[in-house]
Amino acid sequence: MSGRTPTRFAQQMIENLAYSLLGCLLSFLASTAALPFVKRVALAVRAMDYPGGRRQQAEAIPRLGGVAVALGFFAAQALIILIRWGIWRSQNTQAQLFAIPIAFLLIFLCGFLEDTVGTAMVTRLSTQAVSAFLVVKVGWSFGAINLPLVGNLELGFLTDLISVLWIVGVTNAVNFLDGLDGLAGGVVAIIASSLLVFSIWRHDFVTAIIMATMVGACLGFLRKNWAPAQIYLGDAGSLTLGFILAVVSLRSSIKAPAAVAILVPILALGLPVIDTLLVMLFRFTKRSGKLSLAKRARRMFLADRNHVHHLLLGLSTNRKQIVIGLYSVAVAFCAMALMAATTKTVAPGLLLVALEVVVVFSIRRFGMRAWALKLSIEQRQEAKELLLATVNEHPANPGLTIHSQLYKTDLTKNA
């Protein structure tokens, strides 16, 4: 706040808040208006998710909702930038003004191609890495880590690598989160809202506008994505939103005090990031024959049903309740991020990160145990039905009949 009087600082904060609200409203209206058009395009190019496999809906649903989100996001942001070009230009270098939009566009196009014609995993990861490297080279990256008893630890030549890994990791974490109606869009809106509050408090106009337009675009999309969903986010949406969150969290860390530079984005993004890390660890260590390290590494990026939202289906079949519950977890984690932002030491933030890990791990364990119990009951029921059917086919075998009655009694007692 040096160089600004309290009155001037309050005035700038109010201006940033006003433009953020305007950007949120514009992106909400734009994404809402774009949805009918996007649905028609999805039908025309057959970008649809059909029942079967990991999808359990009753009918085919368009998966280009991310296009509407991106249209709302970019259109509203462009208008705000035109209105406030002077301040936008002052908070970005010429290289950033050129490179950041290109990186966003590359990720969106990669997701759009995946939704329409399909792409190889190597292509997706390569595009993410190139886009991330482009962002990092123009200055949006981690510069130092503040550690207890050590202080600021300069990353040096590891800066670019760690920053690229962060961007690619968060991008895919949000993509993996897109498994239940309304989940990814809602969690992203919650995380973006917390970073919006943080950026306004830090007087970071650029981050505030990006996050505000993201919130509005997600809310406009959620009107048609809430269960039962009429349209899905698709990779064009989940990859773009994840990439933007990752990139903007880097910018927020640059603008934050050193003590909380990395902790704020880690805490805010705790739900998707921690869950994804645990899932990838599970995939890598899972025993399934003699797989090479290369095949185990590749398996870490394959889609499955081991994420926290999938595991919670073992506790309840009400998907709305699960989504609302995960919203609550995301809100709590974002509140922790804002609490860490107010501290001047790193130790409380690290304790909150540890708490988040415990929470996500515990939720996953509850879900896994629920699935194990559910499968055990279903297997016993199937065995019972098979045995009774066998008895009916061989009524003259008294030994088999007695055995089936004892087995039936045991199943009833243990159910």
Side-chain angles (χ1 to χ4, degrees):
M1 245 186 330
S2 61
R4 295 196 300 269
T5 64
T7 302
R8 178 56 181 164
F9 180 80
Q11 181 182 352
Q12 290 177 334
M13 182 176 290
I14 293 173
E15 289 178 358
N16 290 346
L17 178 60
Y19 280 105
S20 297
L21 292 175
L22 176 62
C24 182
L25 176 61
L26 290 174
S27 61
F28 173 84
L29 295 175
S31 64
T32 299
L35 280 172
F37 169 74
V38 168
K39 290 179 68 174
R40 290 194 294 270
V41 171
L43 289 170
V45 301
R46 302 185 68 82
M48 309 287 291
D49 273 346
Y50 297 93
R54 294 188 301 122
R55 295 295 184 183
Q56 300 181 0
Q57 75 271 13
E59 58 185 11
I61 296 178
R63 60 167 176 261
L64 288 184
V67 176
V69 173
L71 286 174
F73 172 80
F74 289 120
Q77 194 176 131
L79 184 57
I80 298 298
I81 291 174
L82 288 175
I83 297 174
R84 299 287 287 174
W85 172 249
I87 188 171
W88 191 273
R89 176 66 181 84
S90 68
Q91 293 191 11
N92 287 288
T93 65
Q94 186 173 355
Q96 290 167 353
L97 291 172
F98 179 75
I100 303 299
I102 289 179
F104 287 175
L105 182 60
L106 283 175
I107 292 296
F108 170 76
L109 291 176
C110 177
F112 181 79
L113 288 175
E114 172 63 20
D115 289 333
T116 52
V117 298
T119 57
M121 181 180 67
V122 174
T123 302
R124 294 196 299 273
L125 289 176
S126 299
T127 304
Q128 294 168 24
V130 169
S131 302
F133 186 74
L134 186 61
V135 169
V136 169
K137 293 310 291 183
V138 296
W140 287 15
S141 63
F142 292 126
I145 299 178
N146 189 284
L147 298 176
L149 306 178
V150 177
N152 281 349
L153 178 64
E154 295 294 332
L155 299 176
F157 70 95
L158 293 177
T159 295
D160 291 354
L161 176 61
I162 293 176
S163 300
V164 168
L165 288 176
W166 168 261
I167 294 174
V168 173
V170 172
T171 300
N172 286 282
V174 174
N175 185 35
F176 293 147
L177 191 65
D178 187 23
L180 296 178
D181 295 350
L183 180 59
V187 170
V188 167
I190 292 169
I191 295 171
S193 297
S194 68
L195 293 177
L196 171 61
V197 172
F198 181 63
S199 59
I200 290 177
W201 177 56
R202 297 299 307 170
H203 192 65
D204 183 357
F205 180 76
V206 172
T207 300
I209 295 303
I210 295 175
M211 291 296 92
T213 50
M214 178 179 283
V215 171
C218 287
L219 293 179
F221 164 73
L222 282 173
R223 295 177 60 254
K224 299 296 183 181
N225 185 240
W226 187 248
Q230 300 177 36
I231 189 169
Y232 288 149
L233 190 59
D235 282 359
S238 59
L239 289 178
T240 303
L241 291 175
F243 186 83
I244 294 171
L245 277 180
V247 169
V248 171
S249 67
L250 285 182
R251 178 183 170 84
S252 297
S253 72
I254 297 171
K255 297 292 183 178
V260 296
I262 295 181
L263 290 176
V264 170
I266 289 177
L267 287 166
L269 290 156
L271 178 59
V273 169
I274 295 172
D275 178 57
T276 298
L277 289 175
L278 291 175
V279 169
M280 294 178 74
L281 179 63
F282 170 79
R283 292 172 183 167
F284 185 80
T285 58
K286 181 181 178 182
R287 295 180 180 178
S288 55
K290 296 181 179 180
L291 291 179
S292 64
L293 290 178
K295 290 184 177 179
R296 287 191 176 190
R298 183 179 182 276
R299 187 172 61 182
M300 293 168 64
F301 297 94
L302 297 179
D304 58 22
R305 297 185 64 82
N306 282 312
H307 288 279
V308 64
H309 49 280
H310 296 132
L311 296 177
L312 287 177
L313 291 173
L315 291 171
S316 172
T317 58
N318 190 322
R319 298 189 170 208
K320 290 183 179 179
Q321 289 183 353
I322 294 174
V323 171
I324 292 174
L326 291 176
Y327 281 179
S328 302
V329 174
V331 169
F333 285 5
C334 289
M336 293 180 187
L338 294 176
M339 288 172 56
T342 63
T343 66
K344 296 183 179 180
T345 57
V346 72
L350 290 175
L351 290 175
L352 292 176
V353 171
L355 177 60
E356 287 192 359
V357 173
V358 171
V359 169
V360 176
F361 182 81
S362 299
I363 294 174
R364 289 181 55 83
R365 291 293 296 174
F366 281 128
M368 292 172 68
R369 289 178 180 176
W371 268 115
L373 178 60
K374 184 176 180 179
L375 290 174
S376 177
I377 293 173
E378 290 177 352
Q379 289 171 352
R380 289 201 299 268
Q381 183 63 29
E382 290 176 359
K384 172 185 173 182
E385 292 174 355
L386 178 62
L387 185 60
L388 292 178
T390 304
V391 170
N392 292 333
E393 292 178 2
H394 304 280
N397 189 335
L400 183 60
T401 302
I402 294 172
H403 178 73
S404 67
Q405 292 299 324
L406 292 173
Y407 188 69
K408 179 179 179 182
T409 303
D410 184 60
L411 285 170
T412 305
K413 181 173 63 177
N414 293 328

